[in-house]
Amino acid sequence: MRENYAAQIAKSTTELFDYISQRTTEEQLQRIIASYHFAAEAHKKQKRRSGEPYITHPIAVASILARELEMTDNTVITAFLHDVVEDTDHTVEEIRELFGDDVAFLVDTVTKRKKDSYEHSKQVDNYRQILESVHYDIRALLIKLADRLHNMRTLESMRPDKQMKIAGETDCFYAPLANRLGLFEVKSDLENLSFKYRCGIEYGDIERWIKEDEQNNQERLKIFCKDVLGTLKDHGIQCKVETFWRRPYSLWRRMKQQKTDFWHLPNRYYVRITFWEDTMDDPLTDKETCLKIYNLLTRDFRERPGTFINQIEQPKENSYQCLRLMLLSNQGVWEDVQ
């Protein structure tokens, strides 16, 4: 088992460092590698509740920040070191000497304060520290969110009561925080993982229904997306057209709000059109291109009255912008397009 863990760690770090090397200097890469080795040595006697070596957690947090959030060198270094001061005998001053003031500051900011007594409770004081960190550096919040995301992805090793507690915290605090920062994928992952542990039966049912719904609509949607793509490319708009099913938590929430079951729920999926550089001689702004796409689609497809929503002029609270509408496909079914 130890050999398996060693091979897994070697594989994950090699892949991570190869990915990072594509957008860092050699000096930055060597500092990141050095931070990994420092953390691996500091945590070498520690294990996670699952039995894995503890270093697998900092590796995963660093990978989330580098790959999913595309953060730079000092943030990734801090991810490797984020539990060193809290869980070992190493100090912030040691980290300052080895990795500089910026990394030491970030490690100190994300390290939970050990107190003999708490002003409210350990949990509340921890929330306050997390929120106060935004006054100093937004990167500290991103590290905390990446830390929570990996903990949620590996929550199956915890006791059921711990799972419920951590899942509840995630749904009430961390997911809304990610949403306010505009991190939709992180927010969505946190919500769904929380839902999985809080409402396991409902989560499993909806997952099964989504797979069935995908199979039932696969061919029809493929034709619709091909027709939309052809219409737009004929008018010089470079784009891709993809279908996405909403996640279990989002569907469950809509079912509750609309007091209906899965199969009678509208907008279980949506078609997303993503465009890039305009090939015309007179380039348009993003807003103008969105409106041009709207005009082209409503010329070839019937628009459902009252479904047009302009989220360019009025973005969502997480700054997401798009135009939304429902179109009647050739199969006589309304498709949610954005």
Side-chain angles (χ1 to χ4, degrees), residues 30-90:
Q30 291 307 314
R31 290 181 68 241
I32 292 171
I33 294 173
S35 71
Y36 158 68
H37 288 298
F38 184 88
E41 179 64 23
H43 293 298
K44 67 180 180 181
K45 294 182 180 179
Q46 298 173 337
K47 294 186 181 296
R48 304 197 80 206
R49 191 173 293 273
S50 62
E52 297 174 301
Y54 193 85
I55 190 59
T56 58
H57 173 62
I59 292 170
V61 175
S63 183
I64 290 169
L65 286 161
R67 293 173 179 272
E68 299 179 39
L69 300 182
E70 299 185 354
M71 298 304 294
T72 52
D73 54 331
N74 279 355
T75 312
V76 177
I77 290 170
T78 304
F80 279 122
L81 303 174
H82 77 277
D83 280 335
V84 166
V85 173
E86 186 175 333
D87 295 339
T88 75
D89 293 331
H90 293 286

Side-chain angles (χ1 to χ4, degrees), residues 1-10 47 50-53 56:
M1 183 63 74
R2 183 177 297 176
E3 292 178 358
N4 289 340
Y5 284 140
Q8 291 171 13
I9 290 170
K47 294 186 181 296
S50 62
E52 297 174 301
T56 58

Side-chain angles (χ1 to χ4, degrees), residues 3-4 9 15 19 23 67 86 101 109 121 125 153-154 164 182 187 228 238 293 296 299 305 313 316:
E3 292 178 358
N4 289 340
I9 290 170
E15 291 175 350
Y19 178 83
R23 53 192 183 88
R67 293 173 179 272
E86 186 175 333
D101 290 339
T109 302
S121 69
D125 282 15
R153 288 174 176 174
T154 56
M164 290 294 288
K187 168 250 187 190
V228 168
Q238 301 301 310
I293 290 172
L296 291 171
R299 185 197 66 182
E313 300 296 345
K316 289 186 176 181

Side-chain angles (χ1 to χ4, degrees), residues 92 96 100-110 136-137 139:
V92 172
R96 190 186 312 279
D101 290 339
D102 189 46
V103 172
F105 163 76
L106 285 173
V107 170
D108 187 46
T109 302
V110 301
Y136 306 108
D137 200 312
R139 293 175 297 172

Side-chain angles (χ1 to χ4, degrees), residues 195-309:
F195 180 51
K196 177 180 178 181
Y197 288 101
R198 291 185 297 110
C199 307
I201 295 174
E202 291 91 338
Y203 180 90
D205 287 343
I206 296 174
E207 266 205 327
R208 187 175 69 255
W209 295 334
I210 290 172
K211 290 178 182 177
E212 186 178 342
D213 205 24
E214 286 178 336
Q215 291 174 353
N216 293 341
N217 291 282
Q218 186 176 25
E219 290 304 316
R220 181 179 61 76
L221 284 168
K222 187 182 295 184
I223 294 170
F224 176 70
C225 290
K226 183 179 178 180
D227 291 344
V228 168
L229 185 63
T231 295
L232 299 181
K233 284 197 170 182
D234 286 346
H235 290 82
I237 296 176
Q238 301 301 310
C239 62
K240 61 180 178 180
V241 183
E242 303 169 284
T243 303
F244 296 91
W245 257 257
R246 301 190 190 280
R247 304 285 291 276
Y249 178 76
S250 174
L251 291 168
W252 175 81
R253 187 177 58 202
R254 288 164 182 260
M255 288 160 61
K256 296 295 182 183
Q257 290 172 345
Q258 300 182 29
K259 295 181 172 58
T260 188
D261 61 31
F262 177 87
W263 298 107
H264 291 90
L265 186 70
N267 305 339
R268 297 189 297 272
Y269 55 84
Y270 57 93
V271 175
R272 178 185 292 168
I273 301 170
T274 308
F275 62 86
W276 50 90
E277 183 180 357
D278 203 319
T279 58
M280 297 183 300
D281 294 333
D282 184 18
L284 303 176
T285 65
D286 287 348
K287 178 182 175 181
E288 289 169 338
T289 304
C290 283
L291 292 172
K292 180 179 179 180
I293 290 172
Y294 168 76
N295 288 330
L296 291 171
L297 293 181
T298 51
R299 185 197 66 182
D300 290 356
F301 301 91
R302 181 181 168 192
E303 177 186 357
R304 184 171 183 173
T307 63
F308 178 80
I309 301 175

Side-chain angles (χ1 to χ4, degrees), residues 69 131 141-142 144-146 148-149 170-191 317-319:
L69 300 182
L131 293 175
L141 281 183
L142 300 180
K144 282 290 189 181
L145 286 170
R148 176 53 59 124
L149 181 55
T170 300
D171 190 52
C172 292
F173 181 78
Y174 290 93
L177 179 60
N179 186 53
R180 293 299 295 182
L181 294 175
L183 304 174
F184 177 79
E185 291 301 325
V186 174
K187 168 250 187 190
S188 185
D189 278 353
L190 290 173
E191 284 179 339
E317 62 179 12
N318 61 3
S319 301

